[in-house]
Amino acid sequence: MNIVKTALLFGVLWGVLLAVGYMLGGNFIWIFALIGLVGTFISFWNSDTIAIRSMRAREVSPQEAPGLHRIVQDLADQAGQPMPRLYISPTQQPNAFATGRSPKRAAVCCTEGILQLLDERELRGVLGHELMHVYNRDILTSSVAAGVAGVITSLAQMALWFGGGRDRQGGGIIGALLAMILAPLAATLIQLAISRTREYSADHDGAELTGDPLALASALQKISGGVAAHPLPQEQELQDAAHMMIANPFRGGGMGQLFSTHPPTEQRIARLQRLAQEMGRA
């Protein structure tokens, strides 16, 4: 179901891009869009380096973090996938993320805060979630969604600043201006909806990998409180990596939830509790 929802959201997102391009007209628009998507591909190709640098993380060996390596190696073997590189970030906020353009190039990063907060069972649940982001190619999905949304926003800004459009008569120009203003908002909301859908999928698939949905539910409850106590500053580098983390690292709440890359924690926990009941019955 989450895969179908992601595909539908992508269809809508591409529809918005095509509509904006049609309204603006001109072949140069598509050249500009192509340049934007090439930039997105470059960012995706270097996603592991960018995210790890933003969290000031360092790679750790099996000797430095034997427990962490043991859990991840066990989960990778269980999934039949290669062992990713492991990093630890000197950040007190409890959080974790996985990145990399493929399972062979994957990296998993945990903050010092999450290693101190969670017990081994909960940490295993979190790591199962993060590994499924890699195995499901969610880094590629989120990168493409962000790239298309960015192109739509840039095209709309060009139209507002420099004009253009197929219909500039009467009310047509008003409609075009409204579209140029609303299109970036719609694209951003769709991009964020895709990100939230992939979080639900990683929760579900990671819980199936570990066989313990309640461990991840317990971890999410603890992480939510820890993030609220230690929110990260909204610096650009951290904003670019935020969608990869298991919890939104910034202070949220209220209307901010509409523009969050993550679903509400209570909804994620409720889904995991239902999955635990289903697995128990099975």
Side-chain angles (χ1 to χ4, degrees):
M1 180 59 71
N2 283 323
I3 294 176
V4 173
K5 186 175 180 180
T6 301
L8 289 174
L9 288 169
F10 258 116
V12 175
L13 187 62
W14 281 103
V16 172
L17 175 60
L18 292 173
V20 172
Y22 175 80
M23 292 180 68
L24 292 176
N27 293 330
F28 78 95
I29 293 297
W30 301 112
I31 295 174
F32 185 83
L34 179 61
I35 293 173
L37 292 178
V38 168
T40 298
F41 175 78
I42 294 173
S43 297
F44 160 69
W45 197 257
N46 297 296
S47 60
D48 52 344
T49 305
I50 295 170
I52 288 166
R53 186 190 305 125
S54 71
M55 292 295 288
R56 307 188 311 279
R58 65 180 184 87
E59 188 170 2
V60 290
S61 66
Q63 293 72 32
E64 293 176 283
L68 187 62
H69 272 267
R70 174 173 49 79
I71 295 172
V72 175
Q73 184 69 71
D74 179 58
L75 291 172
D77 290 344
Q78 191 172 330
Q81 297 285 351
M83 173 73 178
R85 292 166 288 134
L86 298 185
Y87 290 79
I88 293 180
S89 166
T91 305
Q92 287 308 302
Q93 181 188 101
N95 226 315
F97 66 88
T99 184
R101 59 182 181 266
S102 70
K104 290 183 178 180
R105 290 280 302 176
V108 173
C109 177
C110 293
T111 66
E112 290 182 356
I114 202 171
L115 296 176
Q116 295 167 5
L117 180 67
L118 303 186
D119 61 30
E120 182 170 322
R121 176 180 168 232
E122 293 165 336
L123 183 60
R124 183 181 176 88
V126 167
L127 293 169
H129 168 103
E130 293 305 330
L131 288 174
M132 292 313 302
H133 272 311
V134 176
Y135 303 156
N136 290 340
R137 300 300 198 278
D138 286 342
I139 291 85
L140 174 60
T141 301
S142 60
S143 296
V144 172
V148 176
V151 169
I152 291 171
T153 300
S154 297
L155 291 178
Q157 289 174 344
M158 285 178 58
L160 287 173
W161 281 103
F162 301 109
R166 294 179 179 273
D167 183 2
R168 302 183 61 86
Q169 301 298 319
I173 189 170
I174 297 176
L177 286 172
L178 285 174
M180 293 306 102
I181 294 171
L182 295 177
L185 176 61
T188 298
L189 291 176
I190 295 167
Q191 174 204 346
L192 295 175
I194 290 172
S195 177
R196 290 191 287 268
T197 300
R198 302 321 304 154
E199 286 299 320
Y200 281 134
S201 287
D203 283 348
H204 180 279
D205 297 344
E208 288 195 331
L209 177 63
T210 63
D212 192 356
L214 295 182
L216 179 55
S218 177
L220 288 173
Q221 189 68 58
K222 288 185 179 181
I223 291 169
S224 178
V227 168
H230 302 281
L232 295 184
Q234 295 202 18
E235 300 169 354
Q236 187 59 52
E237 276 193 331
L238 294 175
Q239 289 179 2
D240 293 340
H243 68 279
M244 300 181 188
M245 301 186 190
I246 194 166
N248 184 354
F250 308 122
R251 195 182 301 278
M255 283 296 294
Q257 193 61 243
L258 183 64
F259 295 94
S260 174
T261 54
H262 295 69
T265 300
E266 58 272 17
Q267 292 183 18
R268 298 172 69 182
I269 291 174
R271 287 182 176 224
L272 289 165
Q273 290 171 337
R274 288 195 297 271
L275 178 60
Q277 292 175 348
E278 294 169 5
M279 293 174 69
R281 287 195 295 269

